[in-house]
């Protein structure tokens, strides 16, 4: 397996400022330095709109290789899904909750696109609740996308990255677009909302499930190289408003055994509004996020960092010389 990054090499990245993906501002405040695998990741908050994100970060092409070949092994200790993986408590728990949240909002027939559909469990559970819907999904991992087709018979699942969506599908193709634990990984959430708006039919629904930057559990565990954004309900609302979505349902996660996520369902409005960032209290946002990050700070040393450091030793190497 190709080695692509060494945790210690994050510190050698050029100190390039990442502009805010929501409002475009280049003004930000440092809110935290540290992460669950001790890369030394730096996290900032946009001074204008309050969006929290990683800055600096590895080059974009690094992430493409990371998600195609390494991500599942790195974060879930599995390269190819199997029965033991499917039986992990959180998988059916999370997806069943999300199907239930959507159940009262959907008609009996429609077309769904699940972005980042992984091994296909969500689409399989969705099909049981909505047998007359047409199912589509994309997944960047070759092994996981193949599994979705072979194991669940999900013929509408393809190995593809998010950036290929507008080539694969015509505008106004879907009644529902879902993205569970995807948005925090994408390098451009702005492009995600633009694409979702194009691909949804008039009045179509967008469902998003993300870790909660204001959650009272997980904390430091949510900071790692895959999570380039950390959304609160407030910062997600700004994206929805900017891209012409009206929120119709929201809930704080009830994922067992811990509560660390939130979910939003929003409807595509008829037209794009004129938009400017809402005023935020950046000092409060920074203070609350630092407090959030302290959760699990002690536990990670013995339970998370050391075993993971051993397991990833040799998996990653430095980025290209020009990025060093
Ligand atoms: Zn901003």
């Amino acid at each position: 397996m190709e080695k692509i990054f060494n945790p210690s090499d994050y510190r050698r990245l050029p100190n390039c400022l990442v502009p805010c993906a929501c409002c475009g501002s280049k003004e930000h405040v440092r809110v935290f330095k540290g992460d669950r695998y001790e890369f030394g990741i730096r996290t900032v908050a946009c001074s204008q709109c309050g969006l929290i994100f990683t800055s600096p970060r590895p080059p974009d092409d690094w992430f493409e290789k990371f998600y195609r070949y390494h991500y599942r092994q790195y974060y879930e200790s599995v390269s190819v899904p199997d029965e033991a993986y499917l039986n992990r408590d959180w998988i059916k728990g999370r997806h069943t909750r999300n199907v239930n949240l959507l159940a009262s909002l959907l008609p009996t027939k429609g077309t769904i696109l699940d972005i980042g559909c992984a091994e296909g469990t969500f689409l399989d559970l969705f099909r049981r609740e909505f047998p007359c819907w047409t199912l589509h999904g994309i997944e960047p991992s070759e092994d996981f996308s193949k599994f979705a087709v072979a194991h669940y018979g999900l013929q509408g699942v393809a190995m593809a990255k998010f950036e290929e969506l507008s080539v694969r599908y015509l505008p106004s193709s879907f009644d529902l677009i879902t993205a569970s634990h995807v948005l925090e990984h994408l390098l451009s959430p702005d492009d995600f909302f633009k694409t979702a708006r194009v691909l949804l039919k008039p009045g179509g629904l967008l469902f998003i499930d993300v870790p909660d930057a204001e959650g009272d559990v997980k904390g430091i565990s949510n900071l790692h190289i895959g999570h380039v954004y950390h959304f609160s309900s407030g910062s997600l609302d700004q994206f929805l408003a900017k891209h012409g979505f009206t929120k119709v349902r929201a809930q704080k996660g009830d994922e067992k055994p811990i509560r660390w996520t939130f979910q939003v369902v929003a409807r595509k409005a008829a037209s794009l509004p004129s938009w400017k960032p809402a005023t935020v209290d950046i000092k409060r946002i920074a203070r609350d996020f630092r407090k959030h990050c302290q959760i699990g700070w002690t536990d990670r040393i013995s339970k998370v960092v050391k075993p993971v450091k051993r397991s990833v030793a040799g998996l990653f190497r430095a980025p290209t010389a020009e990025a060093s």
Side-chain angles (χ1 to χ4, degrees), residues 140-156:
S141 161
E142 183 175 355
D143 289 324
F144 273 63
S145 57
K146 283 182 176 175
F147 184 91
V149 177
H151 183 80
Y152 288 122
L154 294 164
Q155 299 302 324

Side-chain angles (χ1 to χ4, degrees), residues 103-286:
S104 63
L105 299 170
L106 301 178
T108 54
K109 281 187 177 180
T111 304
I112 176 178
L113 171 66
D114 189 25
I115 298 175
C117 65
E119 79 289 344
T121 301
F122 170 75
L123 284 174
D124 179 58
L125 292 170
F126 184 90
R127 176 171 56 187
R128 298 181 199 190
E129 184 77 20
F130 298 99
C132 296
W133 276 59
T134 302
L135 311 176
H136 293 270
I138 63 160
E139 164 57 38
S141 161
E142 183 175 355
D143 289 324
F144 273 63
S145 57
K146 283 182 176 175
F147 184 91
V149 177
H151 183 80
Y152 288 122
L154 294 164
Q155 299 302 324
V157 168
M159 184 188 80
K161 54 185 182 179
F162 164 78
E163 290 79 5
E164 297 171 55
L165 276 175
S166 55
V167 178
R168 285 184 161 270
Y169 302 107
L170 294 171
S172 301
S173 290
F174 301 103
D175 300 280
L176 171 65
I177 291 177
T178 55
S180 177
H181 291 255
V182 167
L183 191 57
E184 67 274 21
H185 295 266
L186 298 179
L187 300 181
S188 176
D190 220 35
D191 286 347
F192 170 86
F193 286 98
K194 285 179 187 170
T195 303
R197 186 170 174 83
V198 169
L199 294 181
L200 281 170
K201 296 176 184 177
L205 293 177
L206 177 63
F207 168 81
I208 294 168
D209 180 9
V210 285
D212 187 355
E214 297 174 335
D216 57 3
V217 291
K218 292 278 274 189
I220 189 72
S221 293
N222 280 330
L223 269 68
H224 56 69
I225 200 66
H227 283 181
V228 286
Y229 294 95
H230 304 277
F231 294 97
S232 64
S233 57
S235 60
L236 193 64
D237 282 353
Q238 298 229 42
F239 276 106
L240 292 172
K242 178 182 178 183
H243 291 282
F245 287 93
T246 305
K247 197 156 65 174
V248 295
R249 187 73 56 87
Q251 72 176 22
K252 291 283 186 180
D254 58 354
E255 197 162 343
K256 295 177 181 176
I258 49 178
R259 301 163 65 95
W260 59 285
T261 62
F262 70 97
Q263 297 79 43
V264 170
V265 183
R267 190 177 302 282
K268 175 182 171 180
S271 59
L272 273 177
S274 62
W275 176 85
K276 62 179 184 178
T279 303
V280 297
D281 182 345
I282 193 64
K283 287 184 177 176
R284 181 197 64 76
I285 289 172

Side-chain angles (χ1 to χ4, degrees), residues 57-70:
R57 70 188 185 201
D60 291 4
D61 61 351
W62 179 88
F63 285 97
E64 183 176 347
K65 291 180 184 173
F66 179 59
Y67 284 110
R68 179 158 296 190
Y69 300 115
H70 302 286

